[in-house]
Amino acid sequence: MMEEEELEFVEELEAVLQLTPEVQLAIEQVFPSQDPLDRADFNAVEYINTLFPTEQSLANIDEVVNKIRLKIRRLDDNIRTVVRGQTNVGQDGRQALEEAQKAIQQLFGKIKDIKDKADKSEQMVKEITRDIKQLDHAKRHLTTSITTLNHLHMLAGGVDSLEAMTRRRQYGEVANLLQGVMNVLEHFHKYMGIPQIRQLSERVKAAQTELGQQILADFEEAFPSQGTKRPGGPSNVLRDACLVANILDPRIKQEIIKKFIKQHLSEYLVLFQENQDVAWLDKIDRRYAWIKRQLVDYEEKYGRMFPREWYMTERIAVEFCHVTRTELAKIMRTRAKEIEVKLLLFAIQRTTNFEGFLAKRFSGCTLTDGTLKKLESPPASTNPFLEDEPTPEMEELAAEKGDLDQPKKPKAPDNPFHGIVSKCFEPHLYVYIESQDKNLGELIDRFVADFKAQGPPKPNTDEGGAVLPSCADLFVYYKKCMVQCSQLSTGEPMIALTTIFQKYLREYAWKILSGNLPKTTTSSGGLTISSLLKEKEGSEVAKFTLEELCLICSILSTAEYCLATTQQLEEKLKEKVDVSLIERINLTGEMDTFSTVISSSIQLLVQDLDAACDPALTAMSKMQWQNVEHVGDQSPYVTSVILHIKQNVPIIRDNLASTRKYFTQFCIKFANSFIPKFITHLFKCKPISMVGAEQLLLDTHSLKMVLLDLPSIGSQVVRKAPASYTKIVVKGMTRAEMILKVVMAPHEPLVVFVDNYIKLLTDCNTETFQKILDMKGLKRSEQSSMLELLRQRLPAPPSGAEGSSSLSLMAPTPEQESSRIRKLEKLIKKRL
């Protein structure tokens, strides 16, 4: 029973002593130990086996047991000591807590004492400073009272003096006194409830009203609305009156300015009445000369009378501009039929010159909403009076570079006076637009006549195809018109001018470019070169001459220049026109027209070279390939094709050196035209013997190499062909090689032959297969069974074959076929 109780006690103790891994790790870090008894995974059996590894070791069991018992007693003593030490901890904690509470109570009492003493000190300070505060308030009120009484005395005396000086017209003293009185009166706004103060304020207002009326009467007397100006110049009284008007209601100042300017310009309205000869546009210079003299006269006589901040000189000039704009608009409506382009441009030029003169002389600070709605300032580059006009040499240089931008200049300041007079000419700009329409029509006709007289451009192999000089002339004229029109208006006239530009861009493309492309027809029957060669195979080929090839390249380069420059022209027009009209500027149709000219030129070059190669391909299809006995060098038709390529391509490449991308397009289009045609003629070569197929395969490889080298053929600088072009050539010519490989393969066994065809030709179909069978010379009866087998073995869908097969040159063929192909490849390598 004792043993059972001990076992139960041990199990309970073990259950209690199961510690978590985190706690066990913390204990090991605080109390590191190497004793196996301290390990968490202690195993008693292993420990005993460690102590007594052998039977002989059991001899000292008593000694081991004594050591363990001694260790147990020591542990019991340590535990007992610790437990006894913990019995007094609770009592010590309670004692420490009581002591802390007593300390807190003592601290609270001290804080309360300090607070009571502070309240007593504050009360004592308030009692000490109460009398001082009363003295401060009394001093402040006394100071305010004295200041107010002084202001009242000054106000009362100032009002009396103001009324007396007003009656004596002592405006110089009034100007100084009035400002002071008004400043003093501001201090009494909060005292307006006092009758005496309100009475003084009313007297000041009455004095101001009387001053205003009196000053206006003085100016009316000095500068009457009717009659001539009083001689002798301005008086000091009026100069001082202007200083007073600066202080009075702004309406007094505006009335003085209005009457003076009206009287000053009365002579102008008489001299330049609508029925006067000098009022017409051809004598518009006299208007501006008159105002310049008047401004000089004003500065001499009245410059010191008006304050500088009134800007009277500028106000006179601005009012003159308003009157002139109204008068010019009226007379032009009356005599609209007499307006000619030269006269209109003359008047506009002189007017814009005068506006530029005003911009240099004045700041434009008087151009407020009350006098003139501020016009949108045009771009600096369109103002000829703020930057120099571009010279013809600069325009030609910019045109040659294909850029409408002139060399950049520092941006000139905006002209605030732009359009202040010249706006009246805008309704009559249709005369200018019609004139430009006529001039551009004559320019296009001159271009056509010059081209016929001078003939096509000379061959140029050094710097690429020459751009037709008429193209640069056209765009230089376009820019001149655009800049000139933008100076006149940025509204609807610019849209009308854009429409004219579009019209003659199309005419230039049709008459100068498309109209001068060499025709591909002959004099008899009007047949194309291609059809002529098809009807008369083997006859002499009608190729373009060297001059015609150079002309096509020149037209292509010119069309490319026009395309790029038209895009820039569209951007410039959008910069010049009003923001609300930008969407109406669209030259996309004209750019498409030049793109069509480019495409037509490339197509002509392709057709010419393609037609030159047709007789050679015809000769290939007429050869007796079943009679070829041995494989030799390349066939004569291949030499002929290479000869034509070497004749045409270097000329085209050199003349399109400045438009490399279009030369690449030419190469791609030629490859896309020539390769399918070559395969079509290849199918006509029937029947073909094994040796004949080998010769054709050799010829196909030769053509493939030549086509891959086509972009740089005959050039000293060898460039890598574009990847897009190389891909087309490799794909097309590899198909031709695969067709010949199928032809070379024996047709028995049938399954092997059909599978070989399906693997070699990814785009396999029954039509191509039948053509290959015709090339092999098989009878129709033999073909039917092979076609049926092909239909059975074709994958469904056909596109699935593309993912499972590739253009591999190796195919499962009989040993004899493999040997012959290897021999053919060695022959090709040896030749290369």
Side-chain angles (χ1 to χ4, degrees):
M1 290 294 292
M2 290 295 293
E3 292 179 355
E4 291 179 357
E5 290 177 359
E6 289 180 358
L7 290 174
E8 290 178 359
F9 175 75
V10 170
E11 291 177 357
E12 292 176 358
L13 184 62
E14 289 179 351
V16 172
L17 295 179
Q18 287 294 333
L19 303 177
T20 61
E22 293 80 4
V23 175
Q24 188 66 37
L25 181 60
I27 293 173
E28 290 177 357
Q29 292 176 351
V30 176
F31 304 106
S33 175
Q34 300 296 329
D35 192 346
L37 294 173
D38 294 332
R39 295 179 58 183
D41 56 347
F42 174 75
N43 191 320
V45 177
E46 291 182 358
Y47 183 69
I48 294 172
N49 289 335
T50 305
L51 293 176
F52 307 105
T54 61
E55 293 182 2
Q56 289 78 10
S57 62
L58 293 175
N60 59 351
I61 187 171
D62 294 333
E63 183 181 352
V64 173
V65 170
N66 290 333
K67 289 181 179 180
I68 292 176
R69 285 177 178 173
L70 179 61
K71 192 172 186 178
I72 291 172
R73 281 198 299 272
R74 289 177 179 174
L75 286 173
D76 289 340
D77 292 340
N78 292 336
I79 292 171
R80 191 179 302 111
T81 302
V82 172
V83 171
R84 287 175 180 175
Q86 292 296 322
T87 55
N88 298 328
V89 171
Q91 185 176 356
D92 294 342
R94 285 192 295 273
Q95 184 178 355
L97 180 61
E98 291 174 357
E99 292 176 355
Q101 290 175 347
K102 291 179 181 179
I104 291 172
Q105 290 177 355
Q106 292 175 358
L107 180 62
F108 181 76
K110 292 180 180 179
I111 293 173
K112 186 176 181 182
D113 292 341
I114 292 171
K115 183 179 179 182
D116 293 339
K117 291 179 180 179
D119 292 339
K120 292 179 181 179
S121 299
E122 183 180 1
Q123 186 65 27
M124 187 181 300
V125 171
K126 286 182 178 179
E127 291 176 357
I128 294 172
T129 58
R130 183 181 297 115
D131 296 336
I132 298 175
K133 287 183 179 179
Q134 290 177 355
L135 291 174
D136 287 342
H137 287 308
K139 179 182 177 182
R140 189 180 304 112
H141 294 158
L142 183 60
T143 303
T144 304
S145 300
I146 294 173
T147 303
T148 304
L149 287 173
N150 287 335
H151 287 166
L152 181 60
H153 176 70
M154 293 168 58
L155 180 61
V159 171
D160 293 337
S161 300
L162 183 63
E163 291 175 345
M165 292 177 183
T166 300
R167 289 191 294 272
R168 294 194 296 270
R169 284 182 167 78
Q170 295 176 344
Y171 296 130
E173 290 80 1
V174 168
N176 296 325
L177 180 60
L178 179 60
Q179 186 64 52
V181 170
M182 293 178 66
N183 292 337
V184 172
L185 188 60
E186 290 179 0
H187 294 284
F188 291 94
H189 282 321
K190 55 186 176 181
Y191 304 118
M192 287 299 172
I194 303 173
Q196 291 80 1
I197 301 298
R198 187 167 58 252
Q199 183 180 3
L200 287 173
S201 176
E202 292 173 354
R203 288 175 62 187
V204 171
K205 292 181 181 178
Q208 288 178 322
T209 303
E210 184 180 354
L211 275 171
Q213 295 174 352
Q214 190 170 296
I215 290 172
L216 289 176
D218 291 345
F219 269 94
E220 180 66 27
E221 181 182 353
F223 305 103
S225 300
Q226 302 295 331
T228 59
K229 292 181 287 187
R230 188 177 67 176
S235 64
N236 293 333
V237 175
L238 294 180
R239 183 177 69 243
D240 295 337
C242 291
L243 298 177
V244 176
N246 256 344
I247 305 172
L248 297 175
D249 191 334
R251 288 177 293 182
I252 303 298
K253 170 185 169 182
Q254 295 297 331
E255 187 68 22
I256 293 172
I257 293 173
K258 181 179 178 182
K259 288 187 175 181
F260 179 81
I261 293 176
K262 182 179 180 181
Q263 191 275 339
H264 212 70
L265 295 179
S266 58
E267 180 184 351
Y268 172 71
L269 293 174
V270 175
L271 292 176
F272 294 91
Q273 287 183 0
E274 186 177 350
N275 56 0
Q276 298 294 325
D277 184 53
V278 294
W280 188 228
L281 300 180
D282 58 344
K283 296 181 178 58
I284 198 170
D285 278 342
R286 298 189 181 184
R287 293 177 181 266
Y288 304 132
W290 181 89
I291 189 59
K292 289 177 182 179
R293 291 194 303 271
Q294 291 300 312
L295 294 178
V296 172
D297 181 66
Y298 166 81
E299 292 289 349
E300 293 176 354
K301 293 183 178 180
Y302 307 103
R304 296 183 180 181
M305 185 176 76
F306 294 100
R308 185 178 299 273
E309 62 270 17
W310 285 21
Y311 301 103
M312 286 300 295
T313 310
E314 181 177 330
R315 292 181 185 276
I316 293 171
V318 170
E319 184 62 25
F320 166 82
C321 292
H322 294 161
V323 173
T324 302
R325 187 174 71 244
T326 303
E327 293 297 319
L328 287 176
K330 187 190 304 181
I331 193 173
M332 283 192 291
R333 281 196 302 270
T334 305
R335 304 172 63 177
K337 295 182 180 180
E338 302 178 32
I339 300 177
E340 298 178 353
V341 177
K342 292 183 179 180
L343 180 61
L344 180 65
L345 292 179
F346 167 79
I348 293 174
Q349 183 67 30
R350 293 295 186 270
T351 301
T352 50
N353 283 341
F354 176 70
E355 292 172 350
F357 162 77
L358 294 180
K360 294 176 182 178
R361 180 82 182 275
F362 306 116
S363 64
C365 60
T366 62
L367 296 174
T368 59
D369 291 339
T371 57
L372 173 71
K373 279 192 174 180
K374 195 106 177 204
L375 301 170
E376 289 186 5
S377 299
S381 59
T382 65
N383 191 335
F385 308 105
L386 295 178
E387 73 175 14
D388 297 332
E389 279 286 335
T391 61
E393 292 78 6
M394 292 169 61
E395 290 179 334
E396 291 177 5
L397 178 61
E400 290 173 2
K401 291 181 178 179
D403 189 359
L404 285 173
D405 290 329
Q406 290 293 336
K408 299 296 182 183
K409 296 185 179 182
K411 185 178 179 181
D414 292 340
N415 180 1
F417 296 93
H418 177 79
I420 190 171
V421 178
S422 58
K423 201 74 174 175
C424 66
F425 297 110
E426 187 168 327
H428 305 278
L429 287 180
Y430 67 89
V431 177
Y432 171 78
I433 301 299
E434 292 174 356
S435 171
Q436 296 307 322
D437 188 3
K438 180 181 178 182
N439 293 342
L440 282 169
E442 294 174 353
L443 188 64
I444 294 295
D445 293 339
R446 180 166 63 83
F447 289 161
V448 174
D450 291 347
F451 190 91
K452 291 180 179 179
Q454 298 173 4
K458 301 299 180 183
N460 184 1
T461 59
D462 295 330
E463 301 178 357
V467 175
L468 298 179
S470 59
C471 176
D473 295 341
L474 178 67
F475 282 101
V476 167
Y477 189 82
Y478 270 12
K479 180 176 182 181
K480 179 182 176 183
C481 295
M482 178 182 65
V483 173
Q484 193 174 40
C485 186
S486 65
Q487 294 169 0
L488 309 180
S489 172
T490 57
E492 287 295 335
M494 283 293 289
I495 302 298
L497 185 66
T498 302
T499 304
I500 299 299
F501 285 174
Q502 291 175 301
K503 172 184 176 182
Y504 289 102
L505 282 174
R506 291 191 297 269
E507 285 202 13
Y508 186 85
W510 295 333
K511 293 182 178 180
I512 307 298
L513 301 182
S514 296
N516 288 303
L517 283 173
K519 301 297 186 292
T520 58
T521 57
T522 60
S523 58
S524 59
L527 300 175
T528 63
I529 290 179
S530 301
S531 63
L532 182 62
L533 292 175
K534 289 179 181 177
E535 290 183 7
K536 298 182 179 181
E537 295 174 349
S539 61
E540 193 67 25
V541 179
K543 289 180 60 179
F544 287 140
T545 63
L546 175 62
E547 289 76 12
E548 289 175 329
L549 288 177
C550 293
L551 173 60
I552 296 173
C553 293
S554 180
I555 290 176
L556 192 153
S557 300
T558 303
E560 187 209 17
Y561 171 87
C562 292
L563 177 62
T565 313
T566 301
Q567 184 176 2
Q568 296 176 15
L569 176 65
E570 182 183 45
E571 294 172 357
K572 288 296 177 183
L573 286 169
K574 289 181 178 180
E575 290 177 8
K576 304 292 184 185
V577 79
D578 290 339
V579 177
S580 60
L581 301 176
I582 287 179
E583 294 182 357
R584 296 173 61 183
I585 304 291
N586 187 357
L587 303 184
T588 305
E590 289 65 40
M591 288 187 274
D592 292 342
T593 301
F594 289 117
S595 298
T596 303
V597 174
I598 293 173
S599 300
S600 301
S601 302
I602 295 175
Q603 191 61 36
L604 276 179
L605 297 173
V606 171
Q607 287 178 0
D608 179 59
L609 183 55
D610 203 18
C613 297
D614 276 350
L617 297 179
T618 302
M620 176 190 77
S621 62
K622 288 191 174 184
M623 286 183 63
Q624 301 297 321
W625 293 102
Q626 74 274 20
N627 297 330
V628 177
E629 298 178 354
H630 59 84
V631 178
D633 203 353
Q634 66 185 22
S635 302
Y637 75 89
V638 176
T639 305
S640 176
V641 171
I642 295 175
L643 177 63
H644 289 302
I645 289 176
K646 288 184 176 180
Q647 287 177 348
N648 280 34
V649 173
I651 297 173
I652 296 172
R653 181 183 58 243
D654 293 340
N655 280 275
L656 294 181
S658 59
T659 56
R660 190 75 186 174
K661 63 179 180 180
Y662 293 117
F663 174 69
T664 302
Q665 287 187 20
F666 159 75
C667 294
I668 291 174
K669 286 189 177 182
F670 174 72
N672 283 327
S673 174
F674 176 80
I675 294 175
K677 187 179 293 186
F678 172 75
I679 294 176
T680 300
H681 282 76
L682 196 62
F683 283 132
K684 295 180 181 179
C685 300
K686 55 185 179 180
I688 303 177
S689 64
M690 184 66 66
V691 178
E694 292 178 0
Q695 180 63 49
L696 274 174
L697 185 59
L698 176 64
D699 294 340
T700 302
H701 184 78
S702 299
L703 288 174
K704 180 180 178 181
M705 294 297 103
V706 171
L707 289 176
L708 288 174
D709 192 43
L710 180 71
S712 60
I713 194 168
S715 175
Q716 297 178 354
V717 180
V718 179
R719 293 184 180 180
K720 186 179 179 181
S724 57
Y725 170 76
T726 303
K727 182 178 179 181
I728 292 172
V729 173
V730 170
K731 181 179 179 181
M733 295 306 290
T734 302
R735 182 172 184 269
E737 291 176 341
M738 294 302 105
I739 291 172
L740 291 173
K741 286 185 177 294
V742 175
V743 173
M744 292 168 59
H747 59 276
E748 291 182 353
L750 297 181
V751 175
V752 175
F753 178 76
V754 171
D755 289 344
N756 189 36
Y757 166 74
I758 293 174
K759 288 185 177 181
L760 289 178
L761 292 176
T762 56
D763 56 342
C764 55
N765 54 62
T766 55
E767 182 180 357
T768 303
F769 187 65
Q770 185 165 7
K771 291 179 181 179
I772 291 175
L773 297 180
D774 290 339
M775 293 173 70
K776 292 178 69 66
L778 297 178
K779 297 179 181 179
R780 291 293 178 181
S781 57
E782 295 176 320
Q783 293 182 14
S784 58
S785 59
M786 299 178 75
L787 287 170
E788 184 62 29
L789 181 61
L790 174 67
R791 294 189 185 96
Q792 295 174 1
R793 300 188 70 83
L794 275 177
S799 59
E802 295 179 4
S804 61
S805 63
S806 61
L807 294 175
S808 175
L809 296 179
M810 298 301 297
T813 57
E815 294 179 2
Q816 182 182 3
E817 174 63 17
S818 300
S819 175
R820 297 180 73 88
I821 291 176
R822 282 195 296 271
K823 287 169 63 178
L824 180 61
E825 289 176 349
K826 289 180 181 179
L827 180 62
I828 294 172
K829 290 179 180 178
K830 182 179 179 181
R831 177 177 176 273
L832 293 174

